[in-house]
Amino acid sequence: MDKKKILIIAHGHPDVHKGGAEIAAYQLFNEYETLGHDVTFLARSEEAPHGGAAFSVRNKANELLFHTRQDDDFLFSNIRTRYIWSELRDLLKRLQPEVVHFHHFFLMGVETLLEVRKTLPEAKIVFTLHEYLAICHANGLMLKPHSQKLCAKSSPRNCHNCFPEKSPADFFMREMYIKRAFSVVDRFVSPSEFLKQRYVDWGIDSSLIEVIENGIPLLSQHADMSIDETASSPKVRLAYFGQINCFKGLDVLLDALVLMDKEARQNFVLNIHGANLEYQPADFQEKVSSALKRLKGTVFLHGPYENRELPELLADADWMVVPSIWWENSPIVIQEAFRSKVPVIASNIGGMAEKVKHNVNGLTFSVGKPLSLLETFRSILANPELHKTCKAGITPPISISESAQLNLALYNQQ
């Protein structure tokens, strides 16, 4: 196997920012290092640098933090030109990677793509798409900000309707500015077919986008804590993992349990593993807090968790619930559930529906509809064999080793 010099760029280090994209980028970095490649991980950081330096070392010499930020959140532009046109350029010249694999431009400036191409004209530039930020100004969610209705396709006119303070011309120029930066990318990677199609509809040539799922590490033998059916709990154990915000659908899940009659509800327990409720809008906080009070004894809020804790936490779950109200892309938490042989109950849209097949490896319900989710819970009670059927239908998710090999093969393509 040819050893490669690879630079992986992410918008955060998972030691600090525990988002799916950050974790995916870092796991790929670790796998390349294990395979013996000359790999460097560069993560944007909002931490104050020592002495005003643009870069610092995080854990070891080949893990670097890039101390910068974008100044224009509309264009994703970094007007602090010294950080990109000087410091980043000098770093690229020193490292001389053959491949620069971006996992984001967010918070660094979309101009970083242009600088890589200018400084390293022979390098292969690969970009893994993780959501819809380039397409959608509404935090990349493709949700209409006021109605929270799903948006099927962006356009300057549609985007102006969501953000009337920006003209259609502003949105047209935004699209052109981002596409100019994207034009230097040799190949894009999409973790789901759904996300790929969104970017094809936006204007990226389909032949330039390869679908490669984000791989996850295999469980070690001693960490395999899959559920023993013969020793199952008398209650149906539901689990929610991830950020607690307005778009992840926790309120939909709680509403479904509130609507359930008390006798049926006694058959369920829900464990919530997540954080950041205190940073959400006041009305959302109040809605969740009120539901938690009404569901005392059924629902338990455990706070944040570390990724390494997931296998043990999932050992106490019969079903993982992923009730997001936006399209999602390729939720890594679903792969982690399947790795532990835990079936998933998910909203029936986007990357969630692509992974979770109804009555095969999990169940789906109508997005944003508590009554639909309630009917799903009722079907679980009415059919005790449903869990066993869906668990048997789970196939192992792609491993980080398999994903790394697919990415490496892409690097070698002309």
Side-chain angles (χ1 to χ4, degrees):
M1 178 185 68
D2 293 334
K3 304 300 182 186
K4 287 200 170 293
K5 293 186 72 174
I6 304 167
L7 173 63
I8 293 180
I9 299 178
H11 61 310
H13 196 291
D15 284 358
V16 182
H17 305 281
K18 301 187 185 304
E22 294 93 328
I23 292 170
Y26 193 66
Q27 288 178 341
L28 193 61
F29 159 71
N30 285 328
E31 182 64 21
Y32 287 162
E33 197 170 43
T34 299
L35 292 172
H37 295 285
D38 183 356
V39 58
T40 301
F41 185 74
L42 177 63
R44 180 265 172 188
S45 173
E46 62 189 21
E47 297 171 329
H50 297 293
F55 302 102
S56 65
V57 174
R58 178 67 193 188
N59 294 318
K60 50 192 176 184
N62 61 340
E63 288 186 38
L64 304 176
L65 298 181
F66 185 16
H67 300 279
T68 189
R69 64 179 299 275
Q70 68 190 30
D71 300 280
D72 185 332
D73 295 336
F74 184 66
L75 295 175
F76 303 113
S77 179
N78 186 336
I79 61 175
R80 302 182 184 200
T81 53
R82 178 174 68 85
Y83 287 101
I84 292 179
W85 311 141
S86 179
E87 274 87 344
L88 179 61
R89 179 182 299 168
D90 290 345
L91 179 70
L92 294 171
K93 287 179 177 178
R94 180 164 62 85
L95 294 176
Q96 288 291 318
E98 302 167 75
V99 178
V100 180
H101 191 151
F102 281 85
H103 276 259
H104 233 304
F105 56 83
F106 183 52
L107 300 176
M108 291 176 287
V110 73
E111 298 88 358
T112 52
L113 289 159
L114 297 170
E115 182 55 40
V116 170
R117 174 54 69 226
K118 182 178 179 180
T119 307
L120 303 171
E122 302 301 317
K124 185 101 171 200
I125 300 178
V126 176
F127 191 113
T128 293
L129 303 161
H130 286 284
E131 30 44 19
Y132 319 101
L133 266 176
I135 302 173
C136 174
H137 182 49
N139 298 312
L141 295 167
M142 299 200 76
L143 278 179
K144 297 184 182 296
H146 303 297
S147 66
Q148 298 298 297
K149 289 187 178 297
L150 291 161
C151 175
K153 189 176 177 66
S154 70
S155 72
R157 175 60 60 183
N158 288 343
C159 296
H160 163 71
N161 290 338
C162 287
F163 297 94
E165 69 276 13
K166 298 285 188 182
S167 71
D170 290 331
F171 280 103
F172 176 77
M173 293 306 297
R174 176 187 189 271
E175 180 179 334
M176 292 301 100
Y177 191 74
I178 296 171
K179 283 182 174 177
R180 174 174 171 261
F182 277 20
S183 69
V184 305
V185 176
D186 294 296
R187 293 297 294 271
F188 294 89
V189 174
S190 172
S192 69
E193 288 284 354
F194 182 86
L195 180 71
K196 173 181 176 176
Q197 192 55 51
R198 280 298 161 94
Y199 275 93
V200 170
D201 292 344
W202 186 63
I204 296 181
D205 189 323
S206 176
S207 66
L208 295 178
I209 309 177
E210 189 85 7
V211 176
I212 303 174
E213 282 192 286
N214 295 317
I216 59 174
L218 296 173
L219 289 179
S220 59
Q221 192 169 7
H222 69 273
D224 187 354
M225 301 178 180
S226 55
I227 299 164
D228 180 2
E229 293 287 348
T230 62
S232 60
S233 165
K235 295 196 176 195
V236 177
R237 300 171 297 176
L238 308 173
Y240 171 97
F241 292 88
Q243 298 292 322
I244 298 177
N245 61 39
C246 305
F247 316 112
K248 290 293 188 180
L250 177 61
D251 52 333
V252 177
L253 171 53
L254 295 176
D255 283 347
L257 292 172
V258 167
L259 290 168
M260 188 181 293
D261 65 80
K262 290 183 179 180
E263 185 176 349
R265 195 191 303 151
Q266 290 175 357
N267 294 290
F268 289 89
V269 62
L270 167 64
N271 288 299
I272 300 170
H273 302 277
N276 295 334
L277 176 60
E278 66 272 22
Y279 301 117
Q280 303 311 307
D283 56 344
F284 179 79
Q285 289 190 50
E286 175 57 33
K287 182 178 182 181
V288 171
S289 297
S290 176
L292 289 174
K293 288 176 184 174
R294 294 184 64 180
L295 296 168
K296 187 175 181 181
T298 298
V299 178
F300 301 90
L301 183 60
H302 299 281
Y305 63 94
E306 297 293 331
N307 233 49
R308 65 178 182 275
E309 299 175 298
L310 265 170
E312 185 175 356
L313 296 174
L314 282 166
D316 290 325
D318 299 310
W319 301 87
M320 178 188 285
V321 187
V322 184
S324 290
I325 64 169
W326 70 292
W327 301 103
E328 292 279 4
N329 159 30
S330 179
I332 205 162
V333 73
I334 293 178
Q335 289 167 259
E336 287 162 332
F338 289 161
R339 178 180 62 180
S340 291
K341 299 289 284 184
V342 175
V344 175
I345 301 168
S347 303
N348 62 343
I349 58 167
M352 295 173 287
E354 190 172 313
K355 289 182 179 297
V356 181
K357 303 303 181 186
H358 191 66
N359 284 336
V360 177
N361 56 7
L363 304 169
T364 59
F365 67 96
S366 298
V367 59
K369 305 294 184 184
L371 285 173
S372 178
L373 182 52
L374 174 59
E375 285 305 311
T376 302
F377 291 153
R378 286 173 175 164
S379 69
I380 291 171
L381 286 182
N383 183 4
E385 292 297 307
L386 198 53
H387 178 263
K388 188 179 294 185
T389 299
C390 290
K391 181 176 178 178
I394 294 172
T395 56
I398 185 172
S399 69
I400 186 61
S401 176
E402 294 170 301
S403 181
Q405 291 302 328
L406 292 171
N407 278 278
L408 287 167
L410 188 66
Y411 301 164
N412 291 322
Q413 289 181 13
Q414 298 300 315

